[in-house]
Amino acid sequence: VYTRMHPRNIYRDREKTDFTRLAKCYPPLAAHLTQTSSIDFRDKKSLLTLTQAFLKRDFNLTLSMPENDRLIPPVPQKLNYILWLEDLLQTGSESGRGHNIRGIDIGTGASCIYPLIGARKNGWKFLATEIDEVSKECAARNVRDNNLGHLIDVRHVERGDLLCGVMRDESDFAFCMCNPPFFGSKDETSGRVLNRTQRRPLAKTECSGNQGETVTEGGELTFVQSIVSDSMKLWTRIRWYTSMLGKKSSVKPLVEELESKGVTVTTTKFVQGKTHRWAIGWTFHESSKIPWQVKRTTKRPAQRPLSFSVCAHNS
């Protein structure tokens, strides 16, 4: 498991996260710098400007967001996920880069951040789904503004339509990815429920998303279990099923559930400063070997249920 940022993450370089240098490349950031050359991470406008600065300087991407509350993506953390997917894809027939790789981003959000970075950096094609009409329209606008319409298809879906409905008229995909709503209730979004002890300080970064983006019935565990359920029906139509997790406590029950089904599972941890996130991936492809960088859990490959047809015999 990675104990720091992914080894290929460009933001491991301190110069890349020097905000004074960054402001010279992206002047709008200068107005948000504090006397200590940082920003106020609880100010949403400052967070958005920082994200826009990283995207413009490092990926030549522009980003617009709705005026009302939507999640503002931290670029270094999102890049960790993309890099991990590159590692997973190198374990099969895919090279990890190129226009032959197609992925699904479940709940792409207003920013459409994963498809934007994946398409610009690696030339990946994406089907990006979203249940919120405002977020869907903003995501589509970000795709158009960056001239990536030939690689990214943003599609509105109904709540609960994760993979099976989306895949009905589609060919196979190399991966699916998801940044699910972490919380099971609005109270959890304050940060107190996630704290291991009452002495642990609350997060210093503003939770910028609305309730639809951060809260789901049953929390992230139930949400990802629904993806697991879909994967058991779709089987090898997606090479790697993956999801990010905001709670370490969600990892074990998901691994145990997949192990009980005989599925090959891998986990990793994404680190950005003091913020830790986890991710889980699973595959039904026997040819996909788990990369050395991440924890490996291997079970006997799952078997499809047998079905029989009995023909009547006329005597």
Side-chain angles (χ1 to χ4, degrees), residues 9-11 59 75-83 121:
N9 195 314
I10 59 175
Y11 300 107
F59 300 98
V75 177
Q77 183 191 92
K78 303 308 180 184
L79 181 58
N80 273 335
Y81 198 162
I82 294 290
L83 294 169
K121 180 178 183 295

Side-chain angles (χ1 to χ4, degrees), residues 32-98:
H32 298 275
L33 295 184
T34 66
Q35 291 183 347
T36 58
S37 298
S38 183
I39 68 165
D40 180 359
F41 285 93
R42 300 193 66 84
D43 179 69
K44 295 176 183 178
K45 181 60 177 176
S46 296
L47 282 175
L48 176 57
T49 307
L50 177 63
T51 290
Q52 291 169 329
F54 279 139
L55 289 174
K56 184 60 178 177
R57 182 192 66 182
D58 300 325
F59 300 98
N60 193 27
L61 291 168
T62 61
L63 181 73
S64 61
M65 296 289 287
E67 292 184 5
N68 51 339
D69 290 346
R70 289 297 187 276
L71 282 172
I72 299 171
V75 177
Q77 183 191 92
K78 303 308 180 184
L79 181 58
N80 273 335
Y81 198 162
I82 294 290
L83 294 169
W84 181 62
L85 281 173
E86 289 178 7
D87 293 338
L88 292 181
L89 294 174
Q90 301 240 359
T91 67
S93 58
E94 295 92 352
S95 64
R97 298 185 181 183

